[in-house]
Amino acid sequence: MKTKIIAGLAALVLIIGLLGVRVIKPSQVGVITTLGKVTRVAESGVTWVAPLISRVTKIDTSTKTVEGVYETSTRDMQTTTEYVTTLYSVDVSKVMDLYMKFLGNHQSSLIAPALATTVQDGVSTVSISELVSNRVELASSMTENARTMLEPYGINIVSMQITNHDFSDEYESAITAKIVAQEKVKTAEYARQEAEIQAETNKILSQTYDDNMKSKMFLEKWDGKMPLYMSGDSEMLNMLLPSGN
């Protein structure tokens, strides 16, 4: 009888022991809470917690991607939609504090609002034309600002990239009108240059025609004899050849 009791107790202890086994995957840590109090952080591998009174919240520490779409306004009050890709990771050494403040909801409660603020603040410092031409520089500035904002909480911002813009219908219509106007100016300038070239060509052709006509007249009037004298102006012998009269 005593043997059965001992065996039963051993089996109960074994079951309780197995119930407390937890496996933490690579690139994760586990925040252990016992009776509602954070007690420790377990790294990847096998760990044990007290069954029934303890729980493990797993926090991913690998680099994660956030694809965000943000409604913004530029310095010149143009409404835009920015498509931004952000890479971030969690600092293992600050996981416990991060969990105690946000209870594992740091993505929605901390990171998302901070990124939205960073993007809006960044876009508000540039005009809409600068937003397009200085996209890389603006993304770099936003990355630094987001790092400054989130690093104290244990969030490491790896990078932020502006992948696309969407502009208001009014702005796109204005851009289209501007492009059309620029093309009209280019067309007018091309026509003016063509007219100048044609005028110069006509002038050269006219001069050539006059020279040819003078040569023809010279040959028609020349009797084959060399003139007895010439004046200082020898243009086509100044038509001084004898006329035959």
Side-chain angles (χ1 to χ4, degrees):
M1 183 68 179
K2 183 183 293 187
T3 303
K4 291 183 179 180
I5 294 175
I6 293 174
L9 290 175
L12 179 61
V13 170
L14 178 61
I15 292 172
I16 293 175
L18 292 175
L19 288 175
V21 174
R22 298 290 185 272
V23 177
I24 310 298
K25 295 180 180 179
S27 300
Q28 287 183 336
V29 293
V31 179
I32 313 300
T33 55
T34 302
L35 298 176
K37 182 181 179 180
V38 177
T39 56
R40 63 187 176 93
V41 174
E43 297 184 358
S44 59
V46 178
T47 190
W48 188 87
V49 297
L52 304 178
I53 62 172
S54 296
R55 58 174 295 186
V56 179
T57 301
K58 297 176 182 179
I59 306 294
D60 194 339
T61 58
S62 63
T63 300
K64 299 182 71 64
T65 302
V66 177
E67 302 283 352
V69 180
Y70 308 96
E71 298 297 325
T72 64
S73 180
T74 61
R75 187 180 65 213
D76 47 358
M77 304 305 292
Q78 294 291 336
T79 300
T80 73
T81 301
E82 300 302 309
Y83 297 82
V84 180
T85 298
T86 302
L87 300 180
Y88 79 91
S89 62
V90 174
D91 185 346
V92 175
S93 66
K94 297 181 179 180
V95 164
M96 183 177 290
D97 289 339
L98 181 67
Y99 179 82
M100 291 175 67
K101 290 175 181 176
F102 300 98
L103 300 178
N105 297 318
H106 50 276
Q107 169 66 50
S108 58
S109 300
L110 173 64
I111 297 174
L115 294 180
T117 299
T118 300
V119 173
Q120 177 58 70
D121 289 348
V123 172
S124 67
T125 64
V126 298
S127 66
I128 196 164
S129 59
E130 292 169 340
L131 177 61
V132 176
S133 61
N134 299 333
R135 179 196 299 199
V136 176
E137 292 81 358
L138 178 59
S140 177
S141 175
M142 291 193 302
T143 299
E144 291 302 320
N145 291 339
R147 282 175 180 161
T148 301
M149 186 181 301
L150 292 172
E151 189 174 20
Y153 296 96
I155 304 298
N156 299 321
I157 299 297
V158 179
S159 68
M160 296 181 70
Q161 293 183 336
I162 302 173
T163 57
N164 202 5
H165 311 281
D166 241 351
F167 303 124
S168 64
D169 293 341
E170 294 79 5
Y171 179 76
E172 291 183 349
S173 297
I175 289 296
T176 301
K178 182 179 179 180
I179 292 173
V180 171
Q182 290 174 338
E183 288 300 319
K184 287 182 178 180
V185 171
K186 290 180 181 179
T187 301
E189 178 64 17
Y190 177 77
R192 184 188 67 78
Q193 293 177 355
E194 283 288 304
E196 289 181 354
I197 293 172
Q198 188 60 49
E200 186 65 23
T201 301
N202 292 340
K203 181 179 178 181
I204 294 172
L205 292 174
S206 177
Q207 183 65 42
T208 302
Y209 176 77
D210 290 345
D211 292 343
N212 290 338
M213 286 300 297
K214 288 179 181 179
S215 298
K216 181 180 179 184
M217 292 173 63
F218 173 81
L219 293 174
E220 288 177 349
K221 295 181 65 176
W222 188 35
D223 58 1
K225 298 177 180 180
M226 295 300 294
L228 300 177
Y229 63 91
M230 295 175 61
S231 68
D233 184 1
S234 61
E235 181 183 353
M236 302 304 294
L237 300 182
N238 204 23
M239 304 307 289
L240 293 178
L241 293 172
S243 63
N245 293 330

